[in-house]
Amino acid sequence: MCFIGRTGASSAASWIWRRMLRQVIHRGLKSSFYWLGLFVSRHPVFFLTVPAVLTIIFGSTVLSRFKPETDLEILVAPTHSLAKIERSLANSLFPIDQSKHKLYSDLHTPGRYGRLILLAKSGGNILELAEQVLQVHKKVLDMRVNYKGFNYTFAHLCVLSHRDKRCLLDDIITIFEDIRLAVLSNSTFSKVPDGRVSFIGHQLGGVALPANSRDQQVKFARAIQITYYLRNLGPVVQDIISEKWESEFCKLVHQLATDSQELHIQSLTSFSLWRDFHKTGVLAKSEVLVSLVLVLLAATISSSMRDCLRGKPFLGLLGVLTICIANVTAAGIFFISDGKFNSTLLGIPFFAMGKCGFVHRDCGDCM
């Protein structure tokens, strides 16, 4: 019984202490907001003009300094993560230009690149379409990118081989050139003419081997992929040109896919994932506008009453407008401090509105 009595006394004392603390906090907040409202009411011009001017200034910086975040790793990994350290180590130990079989390691990404995927239509054999494949390859090599009055091709931007300082190309290109020469000379292509060894297992897709063959020669393949590696360790200007080359590469592949009668052609670049990620912000425009309309409608309805004198729908709309102005100002400060936009930031204003709604409701219950 003594134990129960002590427990009940301690719980009653803690309840009294919490109630006293809540009353002190409530009185302090009520008094501070009273004096804040009194101060604002005595200086209406200042609090109407200064926030408007600040919103205009910071809002203009949103338009002038808007930069999307292009590095997706920043969104998912910190700068000191072990993955980035291990990737830099892999880049230093296994560079693309010195790889034995010109095959980039799975430990790291190949930097900037454009990848061409060609698939024979109607289940055909891609090995029988060597001429069409090489024509597409030639158009990629001849594609020009204009930057400040100068035209750049793949030869100006490619990763150079460590041995002969020539553009690093996949061995599948040489194989298809040998196949074309064999077709033109009415001979059968079976082995690489000069006896060199090439690893092209990652460049052929849908491979089928003959049923009863001892030499295991590839007679049929549905698709191939060709990767064009671009230098990405140079100055910033070179990275900008490489980015333009990737963009023009995607446009060219789309045009070739439309015109080709025998090949399905697809493209993949180093910024393909970023492009799709950035499109989420563009695709979310309609959802954001609908959400904003619903928030305005909810603010109007929640501030309306049957009594016209007590109902204040315009006050609810003004509250939403105030939150929007605060978000624009915060976005301006964010971009001034060298922040970069990504589509995950689109939901922050609505979190702010929801939080403000809960605070407003709680304060109304307290009053």
Side-chain angles (χ1 to χ4, degrees), residues 86-189:
E86 293 169 354
R87 177 173 298 177
S88 62
L89 179 62
N91 282 327
S92 62
L93 296 178
F94 305 99
I96 298 174
D97 56 344
Q98 298 183 24
S99 178
K100 182 178 179 180
H101 298 297
K102 299 180 182 179
L103 170 64
Y104 62 87
S105 173
D106 290 335
L107 295 175
H108 59 93
T109 57
R112 287 205 173 274
Y113 65 92
R115 184 166 297 161
L116 196 64
I117 301 174
L118 301 101
L119 175 67
K121 291 185 177 181
S122 302
N125 188 1
I126 195 70
L127 300 178
E128 298 176 355
L129 302 174
E131 182 65 30
Q132 292 82 347
V133 171
L134 292 176
Q135 288 179 2
V136 174
H137 170 67
K138 185 177 184 301
K139 290 181 180 180
V140 173
L141 297 182
D142 294 339
M143 183 185 65
R144 298 179 182 273
V145 175
N146 186 274
Y147 182 76
K148 293 186 177 180
F150 295 93
N151 292 323
Y152 297 88
T153 61
F154 176 73
H156 298 97
L157 307 171
C158 65
V159 173
L160 300 178
S161 176
H162 183 67
R163 292 178 298 177
D164 51 8
K165 300 300 180 182
R166 301 176 67 178
C167 285
L168 184 67
L169 293 173
D170 290 338
D171 285 338
I172 193 67
I173 299 298
T174 306
I175 300 297
F176 269 74
E177 289 176 349
D178 295 337
I179 293 175
R180 182 175 62 177
L181 291 176
V183 172
L184 294 177
S185 60
N186 293 325
S187 60
T188 303
F189 176 80

Side-chain angles (χ1 to χ4, degrees), residues 272-289:
S272 296
L273 181 60
W274 173 85
R275 179 187 58 195
D276 295 339
F277 182 81
H278 184 64
K279 280 186 177 180
T280 57
V282 179
L283 296 175
K285 286 183 178 179
S286 58
E287 285 79 2
V288 171
L289 292 177

Side-chain angles (χ1 to χ4, degrees), residues 3-250:
F3 177 75
I4 297 175
R6 291 177 181 177
T7 305
S10 60
S11 61
S14 61
W15 180 81
I16 294 173
W17 169 253
R18 288 197 302 268
R19 181 176 178 85
M20 292 175 59
L21 181 62
R22 185 166 57 248
Q23 290 178 353
V24 170
I25 295 175
H26 180 264
R27 290 175 182 175
L29 290 176
K30 185 177 180 180
S31 178
S32 60
F33 282 122
Y34 171 78
W35 289 109
L36 177 62
L38 187 63
F39 180 76
V40 171
S41 63
R42 290 179 178 178
H43 305 83
V45 178
F46 176 82
F47 285 98
L48 285 175
T49 56
V50 173
V53 172
L54 290 177
T55 302
I56 293 173
I57 294 174
F58 289 117
S60 61
T61 59
V62 173
L63 300 176
S64 60
R65 299 175 66 94
F66 176 82
K67 292 181 181 180
E69 180 59 67
T70 57
D71 189 0
L72 295 181
E73 289 186 354
I74 295 179
L75 303 177
V76 296
T79 55
H80 60 279
S81 65
L82 292 178
K84 293 185 178 180
I85 297 175
E86 293 169 354
R87 177 173 298 177
S88 62
L89 179 62
N91 282 327
S92 62
L93 296 178
F94 305 99
I96 298 174
D97 56 344
Q98 298 183 24
S99 178
K100 182 178 179 180
H101 298 297
K102 299 180 182 179
L103 170 64
Y104 62 87
S105 173
D106 290 335
L107 295 175
H108 59 93
T109 57
R112 287 205 173 274
Y113 65 92
R115 184 166 297 161
L116 196 64
I117 301 174
L118 301 101
L119 175 67
K121 291 185 177 181
S122 302
N125 188 1
I126 195 70
L127 300 178
E128 298 176 355
L129 302 174
E131 182 65 30
Q132 292 82 347
V133 171
L134 292 176
Q135 288 179 2
V136 174
H137 170 67
K138 185 177 184 301
K139 290 181 180 180
V140 173
L141 297 182
D142 294 339
M143 183 185 65
R144 298 179 182 273
V145 175
N146 186 274
Y147 182 76
K148 293 186 177 180
F150 295 93
N151 292 323
Y152 297 88
T153 61
F154 176 73
H156 298 97
L157 307 171
C158 65
V159 173
L160 300 178
S161 176
H162 183 67
R163 292 178 298 177
D164 51 8
K165 300 300 180 182
R166 301 176 67 178
C167 285
L168 184 67
L169 293 173
D170 290 338
D171 285 338
I172 193 67
I173 299 298
T174 306
I175 300 297
F176 269 74
E177 289 176 349
D178 295 337
I179 293 175
R180 182 175 62 177
L181 291 176
V183 172
L184 294 177
S185 60
N186 293 325
S187 60
T188 303
F189 176 80
S190 59
K191 294 182 180 180
V192 180
D194 54 2
R196 66 183 181 275
V197 178
S198 299
F199 177 75
I200 58 173
H202 66 294
Q203 296 166 1
L204 287 175
V207 176
L209 299 175
N212 298 319
S213 178
R214 295 182 179 179
D215 52 3
Q216 295 294 313
Q217 292 184 357
V218 177
K219 298 294 184 179
F220 180 89
R222 289 200 59 197
I224 67 167
Q225 65 172 353
I226 306 171
T227 305
Y228 303 90
Y229 301 102
L230 305 176
R231 291 193 296 269
N232 63 332
L233 299 178
V236 179
V237 175
Q238 183 178 355
D239 187 71
I240 295 175
I241 300 173
S242 298
E243 184 178 353
K244 289 177 66 67
W245 188 93
E246 290 184 5
S247 179
E248 292 297 327
F249 172 76
C250 293

